[in-house]
Amino acid sequence: MKVIDHIKESEETLFSFEILPPLKGKNVQSIFDGIDPLMEFKPKFINVTYHREEYIYKERGQGLLEKIAIRKRPGTVGICAAIMNKYQVDAVPHLICGGFSKEETENALIDLQFLGIDNVLALRGDSIKTESSFRPHENGHKYAVELIDQITDMNKGTYLMDDIQLEPTNFCIGAAGYPEKHFEAMNLSTDLKYLKQKVDAGAEYIVTQMFFDNKKYFDFVEECKKAGINVPIIPGIKPLKTMNHISFLPKFFHIDFPDELSAELLKCKNNEDVQALGVEWAINQSKELKKAGVPCIHYYTMSKSDDVKLIANEIF
């Protein structure tokens, strides 16, 4: 079932969450262990991220370098199929531009359709650690809107090999939104312009990047409406968990902590303090968002369900 249909059919705020594929060498049970504790809250869909391979180059003498994959996560497509088979819950695979040619994207979408997966979240993706900035595949897409265009074309029955008649796909397309703007955008207005292009291209709903100040989400929704963006906007929530998050999240995701939260974080002495504060803050965020009637609250779990379970106990 499509995410947009889940939203339309529900009179209450839905619960959903995102997981990471396990690192190479771990089996699917590590995924199930993170999902099982959250099933009592009846998630309507579960997102599965996609991560590109990362490489290092080792010298092998005589001026030769060997390219070695140092980080690889198992296939998102297979994990989505496993989730749907085990839990009978819709899975939403992330599709990214980086590392994919248009042909590889088409093949992945054909596989998803064959498996009965109705939803995709279309993203540009981040640069890998060895890149100073995002570099697309030479035969791939540079921007998420181009990826959405390709998916929309396939939904119309238009494939790369246009001389072959193939069955149209029927994907519900999600896109990412940034309440504090994408860090590469000149300002929020230009960021909204690009978001509008993604919606016009075929995105049926938006999931936001994490934020810790609900006012920024509510303001973002209002600015989207002014820009002519009228699809559902799902807030993304991530509970703080470790001392490292205090500096890492603002730096990596280009987000701000509100003054009240930052004041409390300065009092934290260890990971346990941060985790307790993170759960409490996310509960308060979620209560306000649910009271406001948001279509769904989407939690970034990093495949660890303990904190989200504590939050969901209070909200759902």
Side-chain angles (χ1 to χ4, degrees):
M1 185 172 173
K2 294 183 176 183
V3 168
I4 192 66
D5 291 332
H6 282 300
I7 292 172
K8 289 177 179 178
E9 291 185 7
S10 178
E11 296 181 357
E12 296 188 356
T13 297
L14 301 176
F15 168 72
S16 68
F17 58 93
E18 175 183 294
I19 62 168
L20 308 179
L23 290 171
K24 182 171 64 177
K26 291 189 176 182
N27 61 33
V28 74
Q29 187 58 46
S30 63
I31 289 289
F32 297 155
D33 289 344
I35 294 174
D36 286 343
L38 300 178
M39 290 308 297
E40 65 177 282
F41 307 109
K42 297 180 172 55
K44 294 299 183 182
F45 55 93
I46 299 171
N47 280 37
V48 183
T49 63
Y50 184 90
H51 294 261
R52 295 169 61 184
E53 289 184 320
E54 295 181 14
Y55 302 93
I56 59 172
Y57 290 87
K58 286 191 174 182
E59 293 187 16
R60 293 304 186 195
Q62 299 180 334
L64 298 176
L65 295 175
E66 181 181 4
K67 184 179 180 181
I68 299 174
I70 58 172
R71 190 177 184 87
K72 182 177 181 181
R73 294 177 183 269
T76 296
V77 174
I79 292 169
C80 286
I83 288 172
M84 292 178 67
N85 180 64
K86 180 174 174 64
Y87 298 105
Q88 285 74 58
V89 171
D90 285 301
V92 183
H94 291 195
L95 283 183
I96 63 174
C97 298
F100 276 98
S101 68
K102 295 174 186 177
E103 183 177 1
E104 289 168 332
T105 297
E106 181 172 279
N107 290 339
L109 289 162
I110 290 170
D111 286 345
L112 292 171
Q113 182 193 33
F114 179 79
L115 292 168
I117 295 171
D118 298 323
N119 303 283
V120 292
L121 187 68
L123 308 166
R124 187 197 72 173
D126 299 316
S127 59
I128 58 176
K129 292 179 180 177
T130 54
E131 296 175 344
S132 59
S133 60
F134 176 79
R135 286 193 288 179
H137 189 285
E138 62 180 353
N139 296 313
H141 299 300
K142 188 175 181 180
Y143 301 109
V145 67
E146 297 172 349
L147 174 58
I148 293 171
D149 281 334
Q150 182 177 2
I151 302 168
T152 299
D153 283 345
M154 290 180 64
N155 280 348
K156 297 175 181 177
T158 302
Y159 289 68
L160 296 176
M161 297 290 289
D162 56 11
D163 58 336
I164 300 176
Q165 186 64 38
L166 295 172
E167 181 181 350
T169 56
N170 190 28
F171 292 109
C172 174
I173 307 168
Y178 300 84
E180 299 176 62
K181 89 171 185 66
H182 191 277
F183 73 97
E184 294 177 359
M186 291 185 288
N187 53 43
L188 184 58
S189 295
T190 57
D191 203 24
L192 289 174
K193 172 186 172 184
Y194 297 134
L195 183 57
K196 176 74 161 51
Q197 289 176 359
K198 291 190 282 188
V199 172
D200 291 344
E204 296 183 73
Y205 69 96
I206 294 163
V207 181
T208 76
Q209 186 185 57
M210 71 181 74
F211 57 89
F212 293 89
D213 184 347
N214 282 356
K215 185 177 185 304
K216 292 188 175 180
Y217 167 79
F218 294 130
D219 288 348
F220 176 69
V221 171
E222 286 304 310
E223 291 302 316
C224 283
K225 289 179 181 177
K226 292 178 185 177
I229 299 169
N230 297 305
V231 299
I233 301 176
I234 298 172
I237 299 295
K238 178 177 175 54
L240 290 160
K241 195 174 184 70
T242 67
M243 294 289 288
N244 181 55
H245 280 168
I246 296 174
S247 58
F248 174 78
L249 294 182
K251 177 181 178 181
F252 188 82
F253 292 99
H254 304 271
I255 56 175
D256 290 333
F257 294 137
D259 291 341
E260 183 182 351
L261 176 58
S262 60
E264 294 301 315
L265 286 169
L266 289 173
K267 301 175 185 178
C268 293
K269 304 298 183 184
N270 50 46
N271 288 343
E272 288 75 19
D273 291 344
V274 174
Q275 184 175 16
L277 175 61
V279 168
E280 180 184 4
W281 191 269
I283 287 172
N284 291 332
Q285 273 193 280
S286 299
K287 285 181 176 179
E288 184 179 25
L289 290 166
K290 187 177 182 183
K291 184 177 179 181
V294 300
C296 177
I297 305 178
H298 188 69
Y299 294 93
Y300 298 112
T301 71
M302 303 297 288
S303 296
K304 298 184 183 300
S305 56
D306 51 346
D307 290 349
V308 174
K309 181 176 173 61
L310 292 172
I311 298 162
N313 274 329
E314 299 294 323
I315 307 302
F316 299 97

